[in-house]
Amino acid sequence: MTKMIFVRHGQSVANLERAFAGHVDTVLTELGKQQAERTALFLKDYPIDKIYASDLTRAMQTAVPTAKMHGLGIVPDEALREIYAGAWEALPYETLMRDFSESYTTWRTDCGRAHPDGGESVVALSERIYREVDRIAAENEGKCVAVFSHATPIRLLRARWEGYAPEELARVAFCANASVSVVDYMEDGSYRVHLCGYDAHQGEYSTGLAKGIV
């Protein structure tokens, strides 16, 4: 069994500006940095052995306080990135609805079947994320691992834990910034979920998904 802790990055500048940040390398806001600190405090008693993070700055920045708390380094991992959004990258939600109405409406209403124009499909993202997380779990058998990633990858993981196919992603909610999910990855391929999208530790600092993305 491997105990896996998944954390979505804190509030980013793109979140605040209501823009689609797939592989765009946006940074955390001051609030996002505070959220990262509060998550580190929440995780201080977990016996974390290793920390992985998407190599995008917002995820790496979110991982830093937890890494310092536990005296660990951070393994940057490109495979943990958010969906590559192609022509959607860095565009405001309002622009996406105007210029890519059909494909963006699919994203908002039937996310599991969405495919950003010129980018990565949600199904392709699921294959990337599942493969990488399974690899991390297998390589850290018997340990506790923290993984800092993004909204859509963690939403896809939640779908998997709950028994949904990636195409059924609309049945699963996005998680809030700097929220925590704790899941045991069992040797037989099953999952034991302890927390899922938990962000009560953020209190008044809590921020959900920006209105307009879904």
Side-chain angles (χ1 to χ4, degrees):
M1 183 271 285
T2 308
K3 186 171 292 294
M4 304 287 287
I5 301 170
F6 298 93
V7 181
R8 184 189 168 202
H9 65 78
Q11 185 192 61
S12 69
V13 170
N15 292 153
L16 191 63
E17 294 178 348
R18 295 170 45 79
F20 200 110
H23 287 195
V24 169
D25 203 15
T26 184
V27 300
L28 294 184
T29 63
E30 288 305 311
L31 174 57
K33 294 175 184 177
Q34 293 175 21
Q35 291 171 336
E37 295 284 353
R38 292 174 77 92
T39 293
L41 286 172
F42 179 74
L43 295 176
K44 67 182 176 64
D45 293 327
Y46 281 87
I48 298 173
D49 298 295
K50 199 163 185 179
I51 297 175
Y52 296 80
S54 157
D55 64 341
L56 295 173
T57 301
R58 59 194 186 273
M60 293 289 288
Q61 285 182 310
T62 305
V64 166
T66 298
K68 288 182 178 178
M69 180 79 68
H70 292 270
L72 296 170
I74 304 168
V75 179
D77 190 341
E78 184 177 352
L80 295 173
R81 286 185 177 192
E82 180 58 276
I83 192 168
Y84 173 56
W88 297 7
E89 292 280 351
L91 293 181
Y93 305 142
E94 293 80 3
T95 301
L96 293 175
M97 185 54 72
R98 183 192 68 214
D99 294 348
F100 302 96
S101 178
E102 184 175 351
S103 56
Y104 189 59
T105 296
T106 300
W107 172 269
R108 295 185 60 172
T109 61
D110 195 10
C111 190
R113 294 178 171 82
H115 192 158
D117 297 72
E120 182 180 29
S121 72
V122 171
V123 169
L125 169 62
S126 73
E127 294 168 353
R128 165 163 64 86
I129 290 296
Y130 295 165
R131 181 172 57 250
E132 186 63 3
V133 169
D134 286 349
R135 183 192 68 80
I136 291 170
E139 289 187 358
N140 292 278
E141 175 67 29
K143 296 180 180 180
C144 178
V145 178
V147 174
F148 290 75
S149 188
H150 303 265
T152 317
I154 295 175
R155 188 183 186 188
L156 282 162
L157 288 165
R158 180 177 177 182
R160 195 186 196 193
W161 305 330
E162 296 181 2
Y164 296 118
E167 292 85 354
E168 299 176 284
L169 193 59
R171 303 179 72 169
V172 178
F174 274 114
C175 61
N177 289 116
S179 57
V180 175
S181 299
V182 180
V183 183
D184 294 337
Y185 274 57
M186 310 304 290
E187 292 179 359
D188 64 1
S190 63
Y191 313 100
R192 183 185 299 136
V193 179
H194 299 280
L195 293 175
C196 192
Y198 180 87
D199 76 330
H201 58 289
Q202 295 296 345
E204 71 273 21
Y205 295 94
S206 177
T207 54
L209 203 71
K211 187 176 180 181
I213 195 169
V214 293

